[in-house]
């Protein structure tokens, strides 16, 4: 039914140009629009620095230490936003530090950012605060200070415990070392702990994959993201195994980990005890305040994309009153929820979005006949096969809107 598997939600989506209304001044718009009454908003903080560059990665980051004032820029950005009534009245339910590697900031710098957030903005009582990290950046001191500062969840980019796989991916530390560090984090019993797993890399056997999964089970991790290696043109390694292998490994993970008590939360995430509110709220159309160089988000239909160049980002904080965002029509929220539905294994409930009802009905029938979906309550859910092809299904449906 599909000729190639789309592996990420980024490539699954076509452009949203037709929903754009045009540029707006951020300060004016977020001071004058209706006040937020939502209590599921989220914050994304981008830290685009890494101490070592992994061979597979083309994220928005660079090989350098954060400048001494990077955290101060973020704090000034928070203070600027906190003066705008819409932001001031929002209640934030989840904060996510992503990267890059956010723990390239010192514990004190991260602590100051968190203190500024809690002082200037409103949060739910059980706010989730996630830090994305590599274990080698995570010292005992950092774990303790971050815990005291409000961090509740760690997303750790392990990728594999296999030493030759780690070498291929240019990851720091042996499999045994990263295993012990994860164990330490888990034993502290203070945090939700999730890890990133990359599978289907060159030379990986099913037994190697099984070893990685056994370690996730032994560690009793709360969840894990599972990414089939994507060949990025501009990265060093370009060696994912073929589609048949990808599929075999995907089903192996799904079946083994379901038996171990994990279930799919997203197309690329299985969990036991991880609510991952940051992503779930976003999938339901929640606002996201974007902070830091290269961060993107949207508040009250105004999309904001910060400059990735640190100098330009610093300038945009200096001149905050002239910052521009891009206003989207309110109906664009329906598209966000539509995308979020598939990412969370549901066939989008909002059937009114489709242009051609017959084309849609025929497509759904085909998905049912070929067991990509099954009836669930009033709608449809993806089968394991449907999860594997989820981003391709998403793209096909999006083309019908
Ligand atoms: C933004 S990265 C940050 C993770 C963190 N900096 C680290 O490396 O530990 C998020 C995740 O995307 C996944 N990823 C990045 N590039 C990928 C690729 N080419 N193929 C598959 N997964 C990839 C990795 O699992 C990575 O941990
Ligand atoms: S995977 Fe993480 S640590 Fe490696 S280069 Fe990408 S962002 Fe940096």
């Amino acid at each position: 039914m599909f000729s190639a598997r789309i592996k990420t939600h980024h490539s699954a989506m076509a452009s949203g140009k037709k929903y754009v209304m045009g540029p707006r001044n951020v300060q004016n718009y977020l001071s004058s629009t209706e006040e937020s009454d939502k209590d599921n908003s989220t914050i994304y903080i981008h830290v685009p620095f890494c101490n070592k560059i992994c061979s597979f990665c083309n994220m928005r980051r660079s090989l350098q230490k954060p400048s001494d004032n990077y955290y101060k820029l973020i704090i000034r950005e928070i203070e600027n936003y906190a003066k705008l009534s819409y932001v001031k009245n929002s209640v934030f339910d989840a904060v996510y530090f992503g990267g890059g590697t956010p723990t390239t900031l010192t514990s004190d710098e991260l602590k100051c950012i968190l203190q500024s957030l809690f002082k200037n903005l409103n949060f739910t009582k059980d706010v989730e605060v996630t830090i994305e990290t590599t274990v080698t950046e995570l010292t005992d001191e950092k774990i303790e200070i971050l815990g005291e500062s409000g961090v509740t969840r760690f997303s750790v980019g392990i990728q594999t415990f296999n030493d030759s796989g780690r070498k291929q991916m240019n990851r720091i530390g042996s499999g045994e070392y990263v295993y012990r560090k994860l164990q330490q984090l888990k034993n502290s019993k203070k945090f939700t702990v999730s890890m990133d797993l990359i599978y289907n890399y060159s030379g990986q056997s099913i037994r190697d994959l099984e070893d990685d999964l056994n370690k996730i089970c032994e560690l009793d991790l709360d969840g894990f993201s599972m990414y089939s290696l994507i060949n990025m043109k501009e990265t060093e390694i370009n060696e994912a195994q073929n589609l048949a292998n990808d599929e075999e490994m995907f089903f192996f993970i799904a079946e083994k980990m379901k038996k171990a008590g994990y279930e799919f939360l997203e197309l690329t995430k299985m969990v036991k005890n991880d609510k991952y509110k940051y992503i779930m709220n976003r999938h339901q159309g929640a606002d996201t305040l974007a902070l830091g160089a290269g961060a993107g988000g949207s508040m009250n239909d105004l999309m904001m994309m910060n400059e990735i160049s640190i100098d330009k980002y610093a300038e945009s904080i200096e001149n905050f009153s002239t910052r521009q965002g891009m206003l989207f029509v309110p109906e664009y929220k329906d598209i966000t929820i539509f995308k979020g539905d598939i990412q969370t294994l549901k066939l989008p409930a909002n059937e009114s979005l489709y242009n051609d009802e017959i084309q849609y009905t025929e497509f759904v029938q085909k998905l049912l006949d070929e067991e990509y979906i099954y009836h669930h309550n009033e709608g449809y859910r993806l089968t394991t096969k449907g999860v594997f092809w989820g981003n391709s299904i998403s793209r096909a449906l999006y083309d019908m809107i």
Side-chain angles (χ1 to χ4, degrees):
M1 189 162 173
F2 302 102
S3 53
R5 179 186 181 219
I6 299 178
K7 291 185 182 177
T8 74
H9 62 280
H10 302 294
S11 16
M13 300 320 298
S15 133
K17 266 188 204 144
K18 63 178 172 180
Y19 302 100
V20 173
M21 287 172 77
R24 295 287 185 282
N25 176 283
V26 170
Q27 190 165 295
N28 292 345
Y29 182 77
L30 292 178
S31 308
S32 60
T33 50
E34 67 180 87
E35 296 199 345
S36 173
D37 57 354
K38 300 172 202 120
D39 61 2
N40 68 344
S41 300
T42 67
I43 296 178
Y44 178 77
I45 304 179
H46 196 61
V47 184
F49 312 104
C50 295
N51 285 332
K52 195 168 179 193
I53 293 297
C54 304
S55 54
F56 55 85
C57 174
N58 76 341
M59 303 280 162
R60 293 165 74 83
R61 44 85 190 122
S62 60
L63 180 62
Q64 65 183 95
K65 283 208 178 318
S67 54
D68 288 346
N69 72 340
Y70 187 66
Y71 81 102
K72 289 187 191 152
L73 292 173
I74 293 179
I75 291 173
R76 281 183 58 199
E77 197 177 19
I78 296 168
E79 290 166 353
N80 280 326
Y81 272 121
K83 290 183 194 137
L84 315 183
S85 57
Y86 185 85
V87 180
K88 187 72 199 166
N89 289 310
S90 295
V91 178
F92 294 94
D93 190 35
V95 179
Y96 194 95
F97 286 80
T101 314
T103 43
T104 49
L105 291 172
T106 67
S107 359
D108 283 339
E109 290 170 342
L110 288 163
K111 184 176 169 182
C112 287
I113 295 173
L114 284 162
Q115 281 173 341
S116 168
L117 284 176
F118 293 135
K119 187 174 125 202
N120 287 292
L121 300 171
N122 299 312
F123 293 87
T124 54
K125 276 203 186 74
D126 57 346
V127 58
E128 173 192 274
V129 180
T130 302
I131 303 242
E132 205 174 69
T133 184
T134 59
V135 280
T136 40
E137 303 289 329
L138 208 54
T139 59
D140 296 351
E141 183 228 7
K142 246 179 204 162
I143 297 173
E144 194 173 329
I145 297 185
L146 292 176
E148 286 164 7
S149 309
V151 171
T152 61
R153 184 174 178 278
F154 281 100
S155 171
V156 191
I158 298 292
Q159 320 309 348
T160 177
F161 295 98
N162 181 287
D163 284 332
S164 83
R166 295 186 65 75
K167 204 164 160 208
Q168 190 183 128
M169 294 188 213
N170 204 22
R171 298 295 292 186
I172 307 174
S174 69
E176 198 194 324
Y177 171 76
V178 296
Y179 181 90
R180 270 191 279 109
K181 292 285 286 189
L182 268 184
Q183 199 169 36
Q184 197 186 337
L185 194 57
K186 194 57 202 169
N187 285 347
S188 75
K189 297 197 169 38
K190 285 188 193 145
F191 308 103
T192 300
V193 183
S194 179
M195 70 165 252
D196 290 349
L197 174 81
I198 287 189
Y199 66 95
N200 202 33
Y201 58 82
S202 170
Q204 188 189 31
S205 67
I206 283 278
R207 288 302 134 242
D208 295 335
L209 175 62
E210 189 175 23
D211 271 355
D212 278 348
L213 299 176
N214 284 339
K215 292 196 166 70
I216 293 175
C217 296
E218 280 161 29
L219 286 163
D220 194 26
L221 296 184
D222 302 298
F224 63 99
S225 295
M226 41 192 276
Y227 301 113
S228 173
L229 180 68
I230 301 164
N231 295 329
M232 301 284 185
K233 280 193 205 86
E234 60 273 46
T235 60
E236 277 174 44
I237 58 169
N238 192 28
E239 295 177 29
Q241 301 188 63
N242 62 25
L243 178 63
N245 204 70
D246 185 11
E247 193 162 12
E248 185 189 352
M249 288 190 160
F250 178 88
F251 276 87
F252 185 81
I253 300 172
E255 275 156 33
K256 179 174 167 63
M257 297 313 263
K258 272 186 199 165
K259 281 191 200 130
Y262 291 86
E263 57 183 6
F264 280 103
L265 185 73
E266 281 192 287
L267 298 179
T268 51
K269 181 151 208 86
M270 294 188 84
V271 295
K272 227 184 205 175
N273 287 310
D274 184 3
K275 290 195 191 132
Y276 197 6
K277 291 199 286 179
Y278 170 74
I279 209 70
M280 296 310 275
N281 290 8
R282 286 197 72 161
H283 285 327
Q284 285 153 20
D287 281 342
T288 299
L289 180 64
L291 304 169
S298 117
M299 297 293 288
N300 202 19
D301 303 321
L302 188 70
M303 298 261 180
M304 287 159 290
M305 189 72 223
N306 287 354
E307 295 278 0
I308 185 73
S309 133
I310 307 296
D311 290 344
K312 287 194 179 150
Y313 167 64
E315 252 170 57
S316 84
I317 289 174
E318 200 60 49
N319 304 315
F320 191 78
S321 61
T322 61
R323 235 190 219 198
Q324 301 265 311
M326 194 57 77
L327 190 63
F328 276 59
V329 293
E331 297 78 53
Y332 189 66
K333 182 107 336 137
D334 295 338
I335 306 294
T336 309
I337 296 169
F338 163 94
K339 291 190 270 181
D341 275 350
I342 305 195
Q343 292 305 315
T344 52
L345 276 65
K346 298 186 280 275
L347 210 64
N350 190 352
E351 296 185 3
S352 66
L353 287 171
Y354 301 108
N355 290 325
D356 181 340
E357 206 179 309
I358 297 172
Q359 184 194 24
Y360 170 74
T361 314
E362 282 173 2
F363 183 66
V364 170
Q365 192 55 51
K366 225 168 158 197
L367 291 175
L368 266 174
D369 293 346
E370 297 187 22
E371 298 183 344
Y372 289 90
I373 56 172
Y374 63 97
H375 285 282
H376 181 76
N377 298 333
E378 300 291 287
Y380 304 98
R381 266 183 87 77
L382 301 182
T383 59
T384 305
K385 178 178 173 185
V387 178
F388 180 74
W389 291 101
N391 282 309
S392 304
I393 296 174
S394 177
R395 180 61 202 247
L397 287 172
Y398 189 77
D399 286 345
M400 292 180 205
I401 290 181

